[in-house]
Amino acid sequence: MNNEALLMALIESSNDAIISKTLDSIITSWNPAAEKIFGYTSQEAVGRSITMLIPPEMQDEEVHIISQIKSGVSIPHYETVRVRKDGTRIWVAITVSPIRDASGQITGASKIARDITALIESERTNTIHTAIVNSSDDAIISKTLDGTITSWNPGAQRIFGYSPDEAIGKHITLLIPDERLSEEDTIISKIKNGQRVEHFETIRRAKAGDEIHVSITVSPVKDKKGEIIGASKIARNISEQIALQKQLKEYTRMLEVSNSHKDQFISMASHELKTPITSIMASLQFLNRKLDGADSGNKKLTEKAVAGITKLNKLVGDMLDIAKIETGNLQFNFSTFSLNELLHEVIDNIGLTNTKHQIFYDDSLVDAHITADRLRLEQVFINLITNAIKYSPEADKIVVNSYAADGKTVVSVQDFGMGIPAEHHNKLFSRFYRIEEQSQNISGLGIGLFITKQIIVGHNGNIWLQSELGKGSTFYVSF
Ligand code: ADP
């Protein structure tokens, strides 16, 4: 093979694009690698301007190249961007040299271009990966299968205190407390099987000797052939989180203790209050009756005192009930009695002190004899009817009904007052819940309905309501 044939063969088989062009940038030869790299066949390329490969914003490059070539200077290896036939852009490393004729005259240029897109991209990805590893708050460490540390990021230094120089080359057990050494064997045997170890919470030891709570994820590292050659480990410092959890537990415990103290105190105080209140109430009621028909000034005073002490008595009773509910000590004494009688009694009693509202009760629908705790049910109806009165200050009637439905006895208490927005319906029965915007000028603690519900639940019953804002509410209990 002569020299020329040898050269031709080299050009044909090269992996780099080898192109020649005139000093006017017209392509004069185009090897198979050029076709592979840029997408044009030799027929398509030869005769056209090389500028078709240069992105529009970089056309100046060609002017510069040609002027260099004309002055006999080669352009060694530079990296730039070119456009393929399909419009995609690629990174190329280019070398351009002048071509001379037999007389030494420069007649054109030869250009060798290598596609370095994959290289540039992997460099970029590497740069990004390095930046991520370096800026991570987590420790990112790699090690060989026998446990030798091979890389150590700044996060690892922050968490464990060792610099890369102090850690790389050492065995990973540097970080593992003695009593946890067996963990490493488990981790490595999983890694050897190609498995990941995920979010494993444990304790590691820092350079200063302090123990650090970490959450660890370990993944196998494979070489190009897919063989497992080591492990990468990400460790997050969760010491603060753990300390916070501990503190929270401690607070909850303290709160429980103080809550039970509070319940005990309320229960004790209410008990102590109950006795004198009962005796004051009895005396006042006695005095009040004695003053029937007597001087109206004194009578008014005793009536006021009776009303006040009755309120106080109810409040103390409610506080005792809450304490009982909290400690699971709300007990019931069941007996069988007439529901109608009980309702009449309650309505009559309320009528004595509330003259504005008339309370209607139609007892013709059902005459149930029910088995329940009579005193507790009395409390339920007092709560519902006094609420109906309290929250309908502009109205003058309350309607009570009782009827049978689905084998149960239902009692309803209807008022024609302010009504209750739907979003509060479920919450009304929780402890201390009041509808602030509606109850501001009406005294109360938000415990009546809570106790009411607990009593009904204790009777295997139900309580619910229907209400229209501005029109009124109906509370239902069934048991
Ligand atoms: P209190 O009346 O002491 O605030 P309750 O537990 O009996 O406590 O009632 C809780 C809340 O439910 C009241 O504050 C009031 O906002 C609302 N409520 C109860 N009954 C009625 C009713 N019949 N009409 C309108 N709102 C009511």
Side-chain angles (χ1 to χ4, degrees), residues 318 383-384 386-392 413 415 417-421 427-430 432-436 438-439 442-452 465 467 472-475:
D318 281 354
N383 279 345
L384 292 180
T386 48
N387 270 353
I389 293 172
K390 241 171 38 170
Y391 297 105
S392 66
V413 177
D415 68 59
M418 53 187 70
I420 301 167
K427 303 181 199 152
L428 281 187
F429 303 103
S430 357
F432 305 128
Y433 193 86
R434 305 197 79 211
I435 307 170
E436 282 311 326
Q438 296 198 156
S439 324
I442 301 173
S443 77
L445 288 176
I447 52 184
L449 285 181
F450 171 67
I451 295 172
T452 300
L465 69 139
S467 181
S473 315
T474 310
F475 280 80

Side-chain angles (χ1 to χ4, degrees), residues 133-134 136-142 149 151-164 167 175 206-207 212 233 235:
V133 171
N134 283 339
S136 168
D137 276 340
D138 296 341
I140 303 178
I141 301 168
S142 62
I149 298 171
S151 77
W152 187 261
N153 76 334
Q157 176 160 6
R158 267 195 302 277
I159 295 177
F160 299 113
Y162 296 100
S163 69
L175 304 177
K207 186 180 174 188
I212 297 174
K233 163 168 160 173

Side-chain angles (χ1 to χ4, degrees), residues 25 102 109 144 183 190 196 229 234 248 260 284 365 388 435 478:
S25 304
T144 60
E183 283 177 8
K190 280 202 167 163
R196 257 162 80 93
I229 50 166
I234 301 182
L248 207 66
S260 89
L284 279 175
L365 297 172
I435 307 170
S478 74

Side-chain angles (χ1 to χ4, degrees), residues 101-353:
D101 63 10
S103 64
Q105 185 83 21
I106 297 169
T107 55
S110 74
K111 166 168 160 177
I112 302 178
R114 171 169 299 179
D115 184 352
I116 54 166
T117 309
L119 197 74
I120 295 269
E121 269 165 14
S122 95
E123 258 172 28
R124 268 199 197 155
T125 337
N126 278 346
T127 316
I128 294 171
H129 284 174
T130 312
I132 293 174
V133 171
N134 283 339
S135 65
S136 168
D137 276 340
D138 296 341
I140 303 178
I141 301 168
S142 62
K143 60 184 178 188
T144 60
L145 283 182
D146 61 20
T148 308
I149 298 171
T150 48
S151 77
W152 187 261
N153 76 334
Q157 176 160 6
R158 267 195 302 277
I159 295 177
F160 299 113
Y162 296 100
S163 69
D165 281 348
E166 292 169 316
I168 293 174
K170 297 271 165 53
H171 198 264
I172 193 74
T173 48
L174 180 70
L175 304 177
I176 307 180
D178 292 344
E179 67 278 11
R180 290 180 185 263
L181 283 174
S182 63
E183 283 177 8
E184 178 63 9
D185 299 335
T186 322
I187 293 174
I188 286 294
S189 77
K190 280 202 167 163
I191 291 297
K192 282 183 177 157
N193 282 330
Q195 290 172 301
R196 257 162 80 93
V197 179
E198 227 154 322
H199 303 303
F200 161 66
E201 290 190 7
T202 181
I203 292 175
R204 289 294 177 256
R205 201 182 39 215
K207 186 180 174 188
D210 45 332
E211 294 200 325
I212 297 174
H213 289 268
V214 284
S215 166
I216 296 182
T217 297
V218 193
S219 318
V221 174
K222 295 178 183 166
D223 66 8
K224 280 199 181 120
K225 283 179 274 168
E227 246 164 69
I228 298 164
I229 50 166
S232 74
K233 163 168 160 173
I234 301 182
R236 173 160 298 179
N237 187 348
I238 53 166
S239 297
E240 267 179 36
Q241 212 174 312
I242 298 265
L244 222 67
Q245 272 170 10
K246 249 193 188 159
Q247 212 165 39
L248 207 66
K249 254 195 205 150
E250 179 59 15
Y251 284 151
T252 318
R253 199 190 59 79
M254 275 159 57
L255 210 64
E256 274 165 6
V257 170
S258 85
N259 253 341
S260 89
H261 284 168
K262 183 202 71 190
D263 288 341
Q264 271 172 18
F265 169 76
I266 292 179
S267 166
M268 245 164 53
S270 314
H271 261 298
E272 294 301 316
L273 287 169
K274 199 82 189 166
T275 321
I277 286 176
T278 312
S279 98
I280 296 172
M281 196 155 74
S283 313
L284 279 175
Q285 276 165 343
F286 179 72
L287 197 62
N288 193 33
R289 269 198 302 276
K290 278 237 150 168
L291 287 175
D292 275 351
D295 163 66
S296 72
N298 286 342
K299 174 77 179 162
K300 265 202 184 118
L301 279 179
T302 52
E303 265 169 4
K304 242 183 158 176
V306 169
I309 200 79
T310 310
K311 242 184 170 174
L312 192 60
N313 187 43
K314 165 124 175 66
L315 190 67
V316 170
D318 281 354
M319 288 199 317
L320 255 174
D321 285 346
I322 291 229
K324 281 182 188 159
I325 290 168
E326 292 302 321
T327 52
N329 282 332
L330 190 66
Q331 278 157 4
F332 302 105
N333 297 315
F334 287 89
S335 64
T336 304
F337 54 90
S338 152
L339 179 64
N340 279 343
E341 258 178 50
L342 173 63
L343 280 168
H344 279 300
E345 219 176 282
V346 170
I347 291 168
D348 290 348
N349 273 332
I350 293 178
L352 289 180
T353 42

